[in-house]
Structures are given as structure tokens and as C-alpha cells.
Amino acid sequence: MDTALSPDHDLEDEATFRRLAFLDLDLNGQAADSAEFEQCRFTRTGLARTVLERAMFTDCLVETSDWANLKATKSGLLRVEVSLARLTGLQWIDGSLRDVTFRECRMDLATFRFTSFKDVAFTDCNLTRADFTSADLRGASFTGCDLSGAQFAQADCAGARFIRCELGGIGSVTSLKGAVVSAHDLAGLAHTLAAALDITIDEG
């Protein structure tokens, strides 16, 4: 695997990056249409505030990188591992994720509107106030994640799994219909569910 260098490997439209190690690079604020990344590794590399249209990441590894406020539209992740990354405010709109894992990532305020998930696992991630409006989450699992205040309006959650997660205050809780929720999580979800169904809980 070769090492990516700036400016030789700065982002540009329709560029293809294969078997490159992006190490300690600052690609923040750049923009590209139809860029492809194949078998690339991103380590301590910034794509914060970057704008991507129809981008594709295949067989990639992302670790300890800052991708906060990255905006990607109609883009995809395929067989990608992301760990210890800062993804605060990430916008992944109308995209696709397949065979993807997120581990110990900060993803508060991230948006995945109209995005489809297949074999996607979130483990020990901060997803507070994340937005999954109209997302297809049938192939997603969440383990040990903080989803406080997350929004699930019109999402398809049939078969999605929530294990040892914080689910307090989530929006459109009834969209979790068909999801698999651990008994531990269900207790924390009770007040939010009761409010959505206009049920009064008698604490006496």
C-alpha cells in the first residue's frame, strides 16, 4: 500500500484512489463528485467539512480520524470499518451502508436521512440526537450506544437490534415497530413510549 501525499492526492471530481494509506493528512473542507476509494486506509486524516457527491468507499479502514460535519449525498460505504473516529454532525443523505462497522465513534448530531443499512453494526458509539428519518434500518444493530434524543421518524426498523443502549427521549418512538430491543433497554424506553401513546404512568 502506497502512502497518499498532498497535494498529489487531494480530492477532485471522478478521482479513483486505490490501495492508498492516508496518514496524518488534512483534507478538510475539500469537495469532490463521484470520487472512489478502494482498499484505502485513513489514519488521523481529516475530512471535516468536506463535501462529497456520489462517493464510494469500498474495503476501507478509517481510524482515529476527524470527519466531523462531512456532507455526503448519494454516497456509499461497502465493507468499511470505522473506529475511534469523530463524526459529529456527519451528513450521510440518501446513501447506502453495507457490511459496515462503527466502533467507539463520536457520532452525535449525525444525519442518515433516507439511507439504507444492510449488515451495519454500531458498537459503543455516541449517537445522541442522531437523525435516522426515513432510513431503512432493517439491517442495523446498535450495541452499547447512546441514542438519547435520536430521531426515527418514518424509519423502517423491522428487525433492527438495540442491545444495552440508551434510548431515552428518542423521537417518533413508534417507528421502532418490529425492532428487537433488550429488556434492559425497554425499561428506559417506557416513559418515551408512554408519552407517544398518551399513556399516564402512575408512579404510586
Side-chain angles (χ1 to χ4, degrees):
M1 181 175 289
D2 295 327
T3 300
L5 301 172
S6 182
D8 294 349
H9 296 104
D10 283 356
L11 305 185
E12 59 182 30
D13 293 349
E14 300 183 0
T16 299
F17 304 93
R18 290 191 178 94
R19 294 188 57 79
L20 286 174
F22 291 82
L23 176 63
D24 294 312
L25 282 187
D26 181 352
L27 303 176
N28 297 325
Q30 297 189 17
D33 189 340
S34 303
E36 297 185 10
F37 302 85
E38 299 178 7
Q39 296 180 315
C40 291
R41 182 169 187 162
F42 300 84
T43 305
R44 298 186 301 278
T45 291
L47 269 74
R49 303 180 308 281
T50 294
V51 178
L52 300 174
E53 187 86 14
R54 291 181 289 274
M56 188 68 199
F57 295 79
T58 305
D59 296 316
C60 292
L61 176 63
V62 181
E63 53 191 0
T64 58
S65 293
D66 184 359
W67 289 17
N69 297 307
L70 179 151
K71 184 176 181 179
T73 306
K74 298 184 183 300
S75 299
L77 300 177
L78 174 62
R79 296 187 298 274
V80 174
E81 295 184 18
V82 186
S83 62
L84 298 168
R86 181 171 179 258
L87 304 170
T88 297
L90 168 75
Q91 295 185 50
W92 202 273
I93 311 296
D94 195 18
S96 64
L97 286 76
R98 181 170 182 173
D99 195 8
V100 178
T101 59
F102 295 94
R103 294 190 180 91
E104 298 182 68
C105 293
R106 181 175 175 181
M107 309 179 72
D108 51 313
L109 300 172
T111 298
F112 295 97
R113 292 185 170 219
F114 301 98
T115 290
S116 64
F117 295 73
K118 183 175 178 59
D119 297 323
V120 178
F122 296 87
T123 303
D124 297 327
C125 293
N126 177 356
L127 284 154
T128 56
R129 298 175 63 189
D131 188 351
F132 296 96
T133 298
S134 299
D136 183 349
L137 290 164
R138 290 176 294 176
S141 66
F142 302 84
T143 304
C145 295
D146 187 348
L147 286 150
S148 302
Q151 176 60 252
F152 291 90
Q154 299 176 335
D156 187 345
C157 294
R161 302 183 67 86
F162 298 85
I163 304 168
R164 300 190 310 279
C165 292
E166 175 55 59
L167 299 172
I170 64 173
S172 301
V173 63
T174 54
S175 291
L176 295 186
K177 179 180 179 181
V180 179
V181 180
S182 67
H184 173 273
D185 298 342
L186 190 59
L189 195 60
H191 283 81
T192 303
L193 187 59
L197 299 176
D198 199 23
I199 295 173
T200 299
I201 298 179
D202 185 353
E203 301 289 356

